[in-house]
Amino acid sequence: MNGMTKAERTKQFILETAATIYNEKGLAGTGVDDILAATQLTKGCLYSHFENKEDLTLQVADYLLKKTCEGMKKVLGGPGTAKEKIFAYLDFCKTPLRPPIQGGCPTFNMAVESDDNLPVIKQKVSEALVKSQKLLAGLLTEGIRKNEFKASLDEEAFSFKMLAATEGGTVICRSMNTNKPMQGLIKSLKEELESYSLPVKA
């Protein structure tokens, strides 16, 4: 937060604090009083940074989706081959009970809640999911181009399968209060991707 004005720091503090509450209680389940209690700020201070509750909700949604996308980019942007980066992403998804953001995956949480009620947030979630799939598909395409994977690998279909499986698996595992099924799912996805792997040339 270095270089930020006091007003900017306060707004960032509100967003960070509100993000956790929204992600745990839901968009509709979070009230202004929840934010005020957590931040210890007055309503006047809150509304000097946000026009109204809807503006706060939209900005929190942007913050959560951006943070999720940045986390994914960081994992996929690490060192190694395309396969190693994909495996790193799958390993990142292995422990749904210890998510990087408290309350679980914000993208999935918002996708479920905004389906028919919040069209603006639904659109934001849709764009975030498309970006995530493109990141995964891009790595698979890179792997095919560099002869890591067979040309028969359908990068669009497999990237969607990974995203759908890990997002859905996260919610189910959190409901069941166990990481174990996700670990079996990750193992299965890795084995399937391995079936498309080509031998590394010396």
Side-chain angles (χ1 to χ4, degrees), residues 23-66:
N23 203 39
E24 291 184 321
K25 297 186 76 170
L27 301 171
T30 300
V32 171
D33 287 344
D34 296 317
I35 310 301
L36 296 178
T39 58
Q40 295 292 296
L41 296 172
T42 64
K43 195 174 281 189
C45 179
L46 182 70
Y47 287 131
S48 69
H49 297 282
F50 304 93
E51 290 176 23
N52 48 38
K53 166 84 185 307
E54 183 183 359
D55 181 39
L56 172 62
T57 301
L58 289 174
Q59 291 200 47
V60 167
D62 283 336
Y63 172 82
L64 281 167
L65 291 172
K66 183 183 177 187

Side-chain angles (χ1 to χ4, degrees), residues 138-180:
L139 268 179
L140 294 174
T141 301
E142 178 190 319
I144 292 169
R145 194 178 66 248
K146 291 183 176 178
N147 294 315
E148 287 183 53
F149 303 125
K150 298 172 186 174
S152 58
L153 172 61
D154 184 333
E155 56 264 52
E156 290 297 321
F158 196 77
S159 61
F160 180 81
K161 182 176 188 172
M162 282 193 293
L163 191 62
T166 52
E167 290 286 354
T170 293
V171 174
I172 293 170
C173 285
R174 286 178 66 80
S175 298
M176 294 168 65
N177 199 34
T178 174
N179 290 319
K180 193 173 180 182

